[in-house]
Amino acid sequence: MNYSGIKYADMINGKGIRVSLFVSGCTHCCKNCFNEETWDENHGKKFTEKEENEIIEYFKKYGKTIRGLSLLGGDPTYPKNIEPLLKFVKKFKENLPDRDIWIWSGFTWEEILEDKNRLSLIKECDILIDGKFIDSLKDLNLKWRGSSNQRVIDIKKSLKENKVVEYI
Ligand code: SF4
């Protein structure tokens, strides 16, 4: 899996101060995508154990000040990204069980439920921002998403209640 960047002390992508990992690979081709260069799965650098450990060490260094990890792209649920992210997320949670994980996907909650690979990754996370960016529905006032079709979903509650439970 390749990634285009890691943003430390990120205060935009999710609640609180976070570390955001932008992975490469996306098939959604949303018009006026904010991050078009990440559509190519070969964009950026290889995400290795070195990067995994750097992120985990950063969390340990700054303690609870850093609230959680955000996975963006590209699309973290792009087929090639699922397995490496699943491995990383499990390792992250073993080391930092009290932090939250937010994930963005161009697929909707309903589409993810129908795909067991995507679901296996989503299940390890806490909040999902779902769906493509739709330019005609763009709204700059929205928190953590670009267009009004996208939802901020509480994953654990939604799975438990068998319906979409929105976080905000
Ligand atoms: S899902 Fe995200 S990264 Fe992919 S094309 Fe749409 S806005 Fe861009």
Side-chain angles (χ1 to χ4, degrees):
M1 177 180 78
N2 276 23
Y3 73 102
S4 64
I6 299 170
K7 205 168 171 188
Y8 290 94
D10 184 7
M11 294 172 74
I12 295 170
N13 296 298
K15 196 166 189 178
I17 307 174
R18 315 184 63 81
V19 175
S20 297
L21 168 64
F22 294 83
V23 297
S24 301
C26 183
T27 53
H28 297 289
C29 304
C30 306
K31 185 183 166 200
N32 289 331
C33 164
F34 76 114
N35 217 358
E36 201 171 319
E37 70 273 11
T38 65
W39 293 3
D40 177 1
E41 65 180 37
N42 298 311
H43 174 75
K45 288 190 275 183
K46 198 140 201 72
F47 187 72
T48 67
E49 221 174 316
K50 177 179 162 279
E51 282 81 3
E52 290 183 358
N53 293 337
E54 277 171 7
I55 291 174
I56 289 168
E57 286 314 310
Y58 180 84
F59 273 90
K60 289 185 175 169
K61 183 175 174 191
Y62 290 102
K64 287 278 183 66
T65 309
I66 313 298
R67 181 185 165 116
L69 175 69
S70 294
L71 304 173
L72 310 97
D75 190 338
T77 67
Y78 179 79
K80 274 197 175 174
N81 294 339
I82 294 173
E83 205 186 306
L85 281 180
L86 199 49
K87 178 180 151 276
F88 174 50
V89 160
K90 284 182 177 168
K91 179 173 166 180
F92 178 85
K93 286 167 74 168
E94 273 166 28
N95 281 275
L96 299 146
D98 54 353
R99 309 307 159 87
D100 64 5
I101 303 177
W102 289 41
I103 185 165
W104 277 249
S105 172
F107 293 95
T108 62
W109 172 259
E110 291 75 13
E111 287 167 333
I112 288 167
L113 286 184
E114 284 173 12
D115 184 311
K116 66 176 188 339
N117 286 332
R118 289 200 173 94
L119 186 58
S120 66
L121 174 60
I122 297 298
K123 271 182 170 172
E124 296 294 330
C125 305
D126 300 287
I127 301 290
L128 166 72
I129 290 79
D130 83 330
K132 289 183 182 190
F133 167 68
I134 298 178
D135 197 45
S136 58
L137 298 177
K138 180 177 172 178
D139 183 347
L140 293 175
N141 295 313
L142 294 169
K143 238 178 169 179
W144 306 316
R145 60 218 147 115
S147 57
S148 59
N149 60 298
Q150 296 172 309
R151 298 167 291 185
V152 183
I153 297 172
D154 185 316
I155 297 169
K156 304 276 186 296
K157 281 189 186 165
S158 298
L159 289 171
K160 196 172 167 206
E161 296 182 25
N162 209 19
K163 64 174 189 185
V164 172
V165 179
E166 294 192 46
Y167 181 70
I168 52 167

